[in-house]
Amino acid sequence: MNNALFAFLHRSIFLIFILVTAIIVGLNIFFSRGYHSASQLTPPYFNVITLIVAILLLGLIYKFGNPILNFLKRIPIKYAVPALLAASVYLQLMIVELLSVNPSWDFGEVVKNAGIVLEGGELSDYFTKYPNNIFLVCLLAVIGSIFTPDLEIFQYFNVFVITLSHYLIFRITYKVAGHSVGLISLLVSVFYFPYIFYAPIVYTDTISLLFLLIPLNLLIRKDGTFKSHILTIIAASIIFSLGMLLKGSLIIFVIAFSIVLFLYLKKWKKILFLVPFLTLFLLNSLFNLFIYENGIIDKQKVEKYSFPVTHWLMMGQNEERFGKYAAEDVILTDKLLKTTTKNHVKEVHINELKKRIKEKGLKGNIQYTMEKLSHTWTDGTFYSLNKLQRQPEHPENYAKLMDFNSGHLIQGFARLQHILILAGIILFAFRTKERNEFFIFSLLSVIGFFFFFILWEARSRYLVSVTPLLIMISCVGYSLLLKQAQSRMRNVTISEKKEIEA
């Protein structure tokens, strides 16, 4: 690729990323939807107080960050990593024990139908509407066949997925930024709010983490570049594609990977950018053939009653719900699919979508988009507390967690952590000089999630899939700030010595 064009594309990606992260950080300064997602009112001055504390913590990181990094260099990985992973397992199991819920909503359908698949039965009608969740059912059925199809086993599997994700976050960051920053990324991920409080909820949000981190770990070299061997590219494409079968929004990772291949591979190898898309098409076709041929679900029912893509685009513009799940839109789509053709249903959706956009007008659409973004990107709890309040096995434990004192501490911890990670991302955007494949993949993924959930039905928990990238590039951002601060201090010291000698 022409060097000038290559440089232009890189600059464009970084500029768009800076714009996107500036909007996200700006929204987090003024808004915090953690209380809202838990069906509570945000207390007066909560946002202001937590913002001030976050700024003070940033100052402490700047002042003491380098001594901490130097200290971490002396801690052997063979002791630190197992200790932190063990702490994570203990913390997750404690949350599972105290805050487990009786499976309801989509989570309940997935768990219940995993057992049905094991018994050779046909999936419930829920999956004719939402066939996108069938892959998770099959995955849990495999786990259930090895052990038993009990909720407790699935929760242990979820704990295993989250813990392995911690290790992979460390491995990738270690490759890209070294010993100390790798340990910092592990420490952050072990105590990261959604990874702790989603432990009892076995759903696509946490399971999707592996379908990002495993292929990245396969691809990344120590300098952050991607391996260009065709077998590695195919293996990564397969896992990225399986992620998309698990959760539709993960197609963003497939697209980001394809763009990176096109940008960085040399000469004829650029044609390999097609491999992720071809792999996705092939795996999707084979999986559909598998579930239909094995009687897991009826093909004709799926073709007739599955919700079309236009449903989520329409729901993404529901003004009363700010683009979140809207029961009235689901009822409308379900009723239409039972009474008319799917093509007509799509037409109704498109007309309703146009109507909603037109009714809001230019100013209204801008205000609506900002509000939708705030609900999606300013919830440091990632909607986990809302899920934990749905049919808890021990309601008294959830009540204690959310009472006047501990509830404010929990929300404050979530918001502070969220702001600090986003601040690190901004630092990364402005201070990194490197343009390696991992960084560009991360930037493209964040940009993709940002714009995708402007158009699509959105919820803060849908961002859990991209959080490993947020953690890793944030930690790298802080390390770059601290390195530059240390370099300035060294230059000042040398200058002072020269003045004294003179």
Side-chain angles (χ1 to χ4, degrees), residues 357-358 360-367:
I357 293 172
K358 187 177 180 180
K360 289 193 280 284
L362 178 61
K363 184 179 178 182
N365 276 293
I366 293 172
Q367 290 174 339

Side-chain angles (χ1 to χ4, degrees), residues 20-38 42 46-47 50 192-193 322 324 369-384 410-419 422 450 453 458-463 470:
V20 164
T21 50
I23 292 171
I24 294 170
V25 171
L27 288 170
N28 275 275
I29 289 172
F30 298 103
F31 300 101
S32 174
R33 301 298 185 187
Y35 281 96
H36 184 275
S37 70
T42 305
F46 173 80
N47 290 349
T50 48
Y192 196 41
F193 199 98
F322 297 111
K324 298 191 288 290
T369 301
M370 289 297 105
E371 188 69 26
K372 183 179 180 181
L373 287 170
S374 75
H375 279 271
T376 309
W377 289 91
T378 71
D379 175 13
T381 73
F382 290 84
Y383 212 64
S384 56
I410 286 289
Q411 291 286 355
F413 172 69
R415 176 161 160 80
L416 287 171
Q417 190 181 60
H418 195 54
I419 290 174
L422 292 175
F450 179 84
F453 286 117
R459 181 79 80 183
S460 55
R461 72 176 177 83
Y462 299 165
L463 300 180
L470 301 182

